């Protein structure tokens, strides 16, 4: 009889420890690195020399469930068609197609946005807005 009580106590102790350990386990979303969207809007600024100048405003949205620590956008423009990025704001540009936060806008709470943009010049024959030919974003938690 005493042996049964000891076994029950051991089982209860094991169960309680397992329950407590499980209560403190941190679960990371499986899609933590891909929960963002990227949108663009182009506004015509006018002619400058032999180029049409456009302002492109980008909005990166954290669609995840927690606050991000940083983000990255890969934006491909028709640079081979003569497009030139003249200036940009609210982001850094470590390479031609990669954009990262300016430092103060990397931590995004869920459902919040980072706004950045750039001024791009297109050769005169091309009157279409210089929206990206492709783009993607990555967000880190």
């Amino acid at each position: 009889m005493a042996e049964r009580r000891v076994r029950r106590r051991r089982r209860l102790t094991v169960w309680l420890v397992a329950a407590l350990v499980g209560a403190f386990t941190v679960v990371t979303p499986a899609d933590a690195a891909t929960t963002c969207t990227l949108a663009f809007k182009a506004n015509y600024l006018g002619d400058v020399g032999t180029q049409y100048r456009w302002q492109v405003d980008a909005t990166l949205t954290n669609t995840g469930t927690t606050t991000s620590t940083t983000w990255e956008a890969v934006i491909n423009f028709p640079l081979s068609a003569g497009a030139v990025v003249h200036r940009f704001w609210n982001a850094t540009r470590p390479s031609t197609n990669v954009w990262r936060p300016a430092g103060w806008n990397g931590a995004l709470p869920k459902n919040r946005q980072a706004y950045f943009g750039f001024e791009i010049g297109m050769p005169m024959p091309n009157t279409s807005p210089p929206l990206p030919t492709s783009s993607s974003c990555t967000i880190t938690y």
Side-chain angles (χ1 to χ4, degrees), residues 6-46:
V6 170
R7 277 192 229 155
R8 282 185 194 162
R9 284 185 188 158
R10 282 185 189 154
R11 277 191 223 143
L12 181 59
T13 303
V14 169
W15 182 83
L16 286 172
V17 168
L20 286 173
V21 169
F24 293 108
T25 302
V26 177
V27 177
T28 304
D31 58 346
T34 58
T35 53
C36 56
T37 60
L38 194 56
F40 302 94
K41 180 182 174 188
N43 297 304
Y44 180 66
L45 297 177

Side-chain angles (χ1 to χ4, degrees), residues 3-124:
E3 191 175 317
R4 269 190 180 164
R5 282 188 217 153
V6 170
R7 277 192 229 155
R8 282 185 194 162
R9 284 185 188 158
R10 282 185 189 154
R11 277 191 223 143
L12 181 59
T13 303
V14 169
W15 182 83
L16 286 172
V17 168
L20 286 173
V21 169
F24 293 108
T25 302
V26 177
V27 177
T28 304
D31 58 346
T34 58
T35 53
C36 56
T37 60
L38 194 56
F40 302 94
K41 180 182 174 188
N43 297 304
Y44 180 66
L45 297 177
D47 299 356
V48 177
T50 59
Q51 291 186 327
Y52 291 119
R53 287 281 174 101
W54 295 82
Q55 176 178 318
V56 179
D57 297 312
T59 304
L60 186 140
T61 304
N62 177 359
T63 58
T65 58
T66 60
T67 299
S68 70
T69 56
T70 192
W71 53 265
E72 181 177 275
V74 177
I75 304 170
N76 295 305
F77 282 99
L79 297 176
S80 62
V84 177
V85 175
H86 292 282
R87 64 187 188 98
F88 55 90
W89 51 92
N90 297 341
T92 61
R93 189 178 182 206
S95 65
T96 303
N97 299 332
V98 176
W99 303 81
R100 293 189 180 139
W104 50 267
N105 61 351
L108 297 176
K110 68 179 183 174
N111 298 320
R112 295 295 173 96
Q113 295 84 25
Y115 301 97
F116 63 101
F118 34 91
E119 189 176 294
I120 190 167
M122 297 293 289
M124 284 292 203

